[in-house]
Amino acid sequence: MIKFFRKIRQNLLSEGKTGKYFKYAIGEIVLVVIGILIALNINNWNEKQKEEKSEILILKTLQKDFTENKKIYSDIVDKQTFVIDNCKSLIECFERKDLQYKRDSIGKFIYYGAFNYYRAEPILGTYEAMIGSGNLNVLKSETLKSKLALFSSEINQGFEDETLSMNLLNTLHNEFKSIGTLFLDNRTRQFIGLSKAKEDGELQNKIISNLYQNPNILHPLAMKTGVETNRLNLYVKMLDYSNEILNLVESELKEKK
């Protein structure tokens, strides 16, 4: 093709048709430019197709991650609420100091309230991989990127009262050491391989009475309830983020169908 155009130019010059030669040369340049533009457009189209496929793949992975995160935080919110309710009931027992008040539930309040601790472990692998590889710009939605950044920031920041929470848990374990396994319900005893507890109302009354007179329990128990409430609020916030991110991801996927 190049030889063909060159031959035409040579013929025009040899015939002295300079004006036609320049017109032809300009036309040839225009054709070359058009060819380059077409090639660039095809290349850009191919790149956009690759980017869109990459974005769809990432969106689907994010959808999977945050569907799981939604389950994780929904579950932890329920568990955390259960812990707080048991702590509050135990505080009420200590304030009343009535040996018969909710007597059959004291063990439940202690083991599932004062002794309980939950921590959520969300999934953030896809987002962290995007940050590490520098592929964050593959996502076109600025709102989605912003929500992901906020979610990641909360996770990396961690729970600010973590140390206090563990200290309170250890304190309560130490103060309640006199109860042993006496107040464990039979279902829990069976789960850990113990036989059913023998009924000993007199011993239970004595232990409960001593607990109610212990001045070192109520304060850490109240503080634990406050700390657990703070963590519950954080988990509710993370559940909201998970729902928002999941909705944004699914909206983006729907647009690309």
Side-chain angles (χ1 to χ4, degrees):
M1 183 65 73
I2 294 174
K3 289 182 179 179
F4 174 74
F5 285 134
R6 186 183 298 164
K7 188 174 181 180
I8 293 175
R9 290 198 304 271
Q10 289 174 347
N11 289 337
L12 289 172
L13 286 172
S14 64
E15 293 173 5
K17 299 178 180 178
T18 308
K20 288 185 177 181
Y21 171 80
F22 283 117
K23 289 179 181 178
Y24 175 79
I26 292 170
E28 188 176 328
I29 292 170
V30 170
L31 286 175
V32 171
V33 171
I34 290 172
I36 292 171
L37 291 174
I38 291 172
L40 287 173
N41 283 332
I42 292 173
N43 185 61
N44 289 338
W45 184 83
N46 287 334
E47 287 299 317
K48 286 181 179 179
Q49 288 295 103
K50 288 179 182 178
E51 286 182 4
E52 187 164 333
K53 286 181 180 179
S54 296
E55 185 182 15
I56 290 172
L57 180 61
I58 288 172
L59 286 170
K60 286 183 177 179
T61 311
L62 285 171
Q63 183 184 36
K64 183 178 178 181
D65 286 356
F66 280 90
T67 297
E68 188 61 28
N69 283 336
K70 181 179 177 179
K71 292 178 182 177
I72 289 170
Y73 281 113
S74 294
D75 182 55
I76 203 75
V77 165
D78 289 341
K79 288 179 177 178
Q80 197 71 9
T81 302
F82 182 65
V83 170
I84 293 168
D85 288 344
N86 280 301
C87 283
K88 287 179 178 178
S89 293
L90 187 57
I91 288 173
E92 188 179 8
C93 290
F94 270 79
E95 289 178 338
R96 284 175 174 258
K97 291 182 170 53
D98 182 348
L99 296 184
Q100 300 308 315
Y101 180 70
K102 296 187 178 179
R103 162 69 176 272
D104 294 337
S105 300
I106 292 292
K108 170 177 172 279
F109 299 154
I110 293 172
Y111 283 98
Y112 299 116
F115 287 1
N116 231 333
Y117 173 80
Y118 291 105
R119 178 173 178 171
E121 296 293 342
I123 299 170
L124 204 58
T126 302
Y127 180 71
E128 289 176 345
M130 289 169 60
I131 295 294
S133 62
N135 288 332
L136 187 60
N137 286 333
V138 171
L139 293 177
K140 299 300 185 292
S141 172
E142 294 298 326
T143 304
L144 176 57
K145 286 189 281 188
S146 176
K147 291 293 181 182
L148 285 167
L150 288 171
F151 186 90
S152 176
S153 176
E154 289 286 355
I155 297 300
N156 292 329
Q157 182 179 342
F159 180 61
E160 59 184 12
D161 292 332
E162 191 76 31
T163 302
L164 175 60
S165 181
M166 296 310 299
N167 288 339
L168 291 169
L169 185 63
N170 291 331
T171 297
L172 290 169
H173 269 283
N174 185 59
E175 296 299 331
F176 280 107
K177 62 185 177 183
S178 63
I179 68 172
T181 59
L182 189 63
F183 291 95
L184 273 177
D185 61 89
N186 285 321
R187 183 180 178 184
T188 304
R189 290 178 66 90
Q190 185 179 7
F191 177 76
I192 62 177
L194 297 175
S195 59
K196 288 185 177 182
K198 294 180 180 180
E199 294 293 334
D200 193 338
E202 187 176 341
L203 179 58
Q204 285 187 340
N205 279 343
K206 183 178 178 181
I207 291 176
I208 292 173
S209 179
N210 288 337
L211 288 174
Y212 287 171
Q213 300 306 316
N214 187 337
N216 300 319
I217 292 179
L218 194 54
H219 178 64
L221 182 58
M223 287 190 67
K224 175 181 171 61
T225 307
V227 170
E228 297 299 335
T229 301
N230 285 339
R231 190 184 290 113
L232 173 62
N233 292 336
L234 173 63
Y235 289 154
V236 169
K237 183 178 180 181
M238 300 310 291
L239 176 59
D240 289 341
Y241 276 143
S242 297
N243 281 321
E244 290 173 6
I245 290 170
L246 189 57
N247 288 338
L248 286 168
V249 167
E250 291 178 344
S251 176
E252 288 293 308
L253 283 170
K254 188 180 292 185
E255 288 182 7
K256 297 182 184 303
K257 284 185 178 180

